Amino acid sequence: MKLTYQPFELKLKHPFTIAKFSRTATPLMLLQITHDGHTGYGEASMVPYMGESVETATAFLNQVDLSAFKSPFDFSDITTYLDSLAPGNPAIKAAIDIALHDLDGKLKQQPCWQLLGSNPQLMPVTSFTIGIDAPDVIRQKVQEAENFKVIKVKLGRDTDKELIQTIRSVTNVPLYADANQGWVDKEKALNLIYWLHEQGVQLIEQPMLKTDIDGNAWLTERSPIPLIADEAVQRLPDVEKAKGVYNGINIKLMKSAGMHEAQQMIIKARQLDLKILIGCMSETSCATLAAAALAPQCDWADIDGPFLTTNNPYKNPEFRDGKYVLSDDAGLGLSL
Ligand code: MG
């Protein structure tokens, strides 16, 4: 098996502002694994607040030797091997896992979604995320989102109500909200949650600091809409900790170290009666098609990555009625 990779800077249509950060581009590592005449494609999206970079990804890849693994791949063994090389590094581990899933599908001549047991009929709609911005820009972004059935808004500043009111002045589509740990006072947060509920917000991600377990649990007990752990849940062992603190979890391949562990998290969350949102970082079609292959096993999807960028190196995923359309092509169904 031959592994090749190259850094890529993914540019965003709009500077992306959330409660704590703002950025205009995201460093990626695009990765290919070739075996037996087939090439699997993977991708790491290294958003700055997660601590990975082109440098850390390169250092990790320099340690990787996949020669011991043969098709059909044992993804559980591969995950254990990658974790044995170094802790952390979930995005670059995800890139390898995604490329191997794509390759596995191509070698078996089956789409990844089928190999993972997903039913395309159950594909949820994907939300389109709008970052914090001036009202004029917000209105423009809402217009760009006309193909989406749900809009996700980034909250967590003093201007949360104005932002929602601006959106509501142009559209009535259902909303998801993400506070990105930005709410500090739980009583105030609860009042805002009731108001957001009236405004048609259907779920809220990470209301308070991930370390404030009591605060988040207090809110979940009282909230009229589901509260979802994002920053608080990265990998499989974190799923259990969400029980009793949140109503559900947000799974992202760049946190879970790939598709294999994401599916383990889905199984665990179902056992614990937790709802599941599948999300993404700033990603090309490659990583979002990998998430889309698992999305039918989740309650909600927020995999709008390629639609928020200007230089996606692949063809944009097929999208209809606000949903990804899963391809019958072998592997991820990625078109170069
Ligand atoms: Mg989030």
Side-chain angles (χ1 to χ4, degrees):
M1 264 191 291
K2 192 173 161 236
L3 192 154
T4 52
Y5 53 88
Q6 49 296 134
F8 183 85
E9 186 158 86
L10 187 63
K11 297 197 168 66
L12 304 176
K13 271 186 195 160
H14 298 279
F16 194 68
T17 304
I18 60 171
K20 295 180 185 349
F21 304 92
S22 183
R23 63 176 196 277
T24 56
T26 305
L28 306 184
M29 190 66 94
L30 302 181
L31 181 150
Q32 303 82 34
I33 300 175
T34 302
H35 176 66
D36 225 3
H38 292 280
T39 300
Y41 291 81
E43 164 188 1
S45 170
M46 297 162 299
V47 292
Y49 57 88
M50 295 291 288
E52 289 181 77
S53 64
V54 169
E55 291 70 31
T56 64
T58 306
F60 185 81
L61 290 170
N62 282 335
Q63 294 179 269
V64 174
D65 174 10
L66 296 172
S67 58
F69 300 101
K70 302 268 181 281
S71 168
F73 301 118
D74 183 332
F75 288 104
S76 177
D77 280 356
I78 295 168
T79 303
T80 306
Y81 164 69
L82 294 176
D83 281 337
S84 76
L85 296 177
N89 296 283
I92 196 62
K93 289 173 183 172
I96 296 167
D97 169 278
I98 293 168
L100 285 172
H101 274 86
D102 189 29
L103 180 59
D104 191 53
K106 285 169 175 166
L107 290 167
K108 292 175 180 162
Q109 285 301 304
Q110 279 188 67
C112 288
W113 60 263
Q114 203 165 57
L115 290 168
L116 293 162
S118 289
N119 175 359
Q121 308 291 330
L122 300 178
M123 178 63 82
V125 297
T126 269
S127 54
F128 183 84
T129 300
I130 288 184
I132 295 162
D133 227 314
D136 279 1
V137 185
I138 294 284
R139 281 186 205 101
Q140 185 198 332
K141 286 178 177 178
V142 171
Q143 271 154 19
E144 284 171 22
E146 63 182 355
N147 291 330
F148 292 80
K149 308 286 178 201
V150 180
I151 288 175
K152 180 168 133 179
V153 285
K154 295 290 196 174
L155 301 179
R157 293 194 167 183
D158 304 334
T159 50
D160 286 353
K161 280 194 176 180
E162 287 94 313
L163 177 65
I164 298 284
Q165 280 160 340
T166 305
I167 290 172
R168 279 289 170 253
S169 72
V170 277
T171 180
N172 285 319
V173 298
L175 302 175
Y176 300 160
D178 189 348
N180 287 110
Q181 316 185 72
W183 294 339
V184 181
D185 180 313
K186 65 182 183 194
E187 308 270 357
K188 261 185 166 166
L190 186 62
N191 283 332
L192 186 56
I193 289 170
Y194 270 98
W195 184 83
L196 291 168
H197 179 46
E198 286 167 18
Q199 299 297 315
V201 172
Q202 298 186 335
L203 64 86
I204 300 172
E205 279 179 55
Q206 203 59 56
M208 304 180 73
L209 273 183
K210 64 177 180 180
T211 48
D212 188 357
I213 292 161
D214 292 344
N216 283 302
W218 186 91
L219 278 180
T220 297
E221 223 179 289
R222 292 161 179 81
S223 171
I225 40 179
L227 303 185
I228 309 295
D230 183 4
E231 286 85 341
V233 170
Q234 316 263 320
R235 295 195 58 177
L236 182 59
D238 301 321
V239 179
E240 213 150 17
K241 298 178 208 156
K243 181 72 186 167
V245 185
Y246 305 91
N247 302 105
I249 59 168
N250 183 345
I251 297 175
K252 292 175 184 162
L253 302 185
M254 297 303 142
K255 299 188 297 179
S256 72
M259 301 164 78
H260 172 71
E261 189 153 321
Q263 192 168 36
Q264 303 307 305
M265 293 173 76
I266 290 170
I267 293 165
K268 187 76 193 168
R270 291 297 179 212
Q271 286 167 356
L272 295 168
D273 203 21
L274 288 165
K275 294 278 192 186
I276 306 163
L277 167 68
I278 188 154
C280 68
M281 303 292 188
S282 298
E283 296 170 4
T284 75
S285 305
C286 180
T288 50
L289 281 170
L294 286 164
Q297 301 178 32
C298 305
D299 299 290
W300 308 288
D302 174 34
I303 40 182
D304 55 0
F307 306 106
L308 298 167
T309 65
T310 58
N311 63 338
N312 181 8
Y314 309 108
K315 205 179 140 205
N316 263 6
E318 204 188 329
F319 200 72
R320 200 181 306 140
D321 297 330
K323 299 175 183 180
Y324 274 67
V325 180
L326 294 173
S327 147
D328 287 326
D329 293 348
L332 295 172
L334 182 67
S335 300
L336 304 181

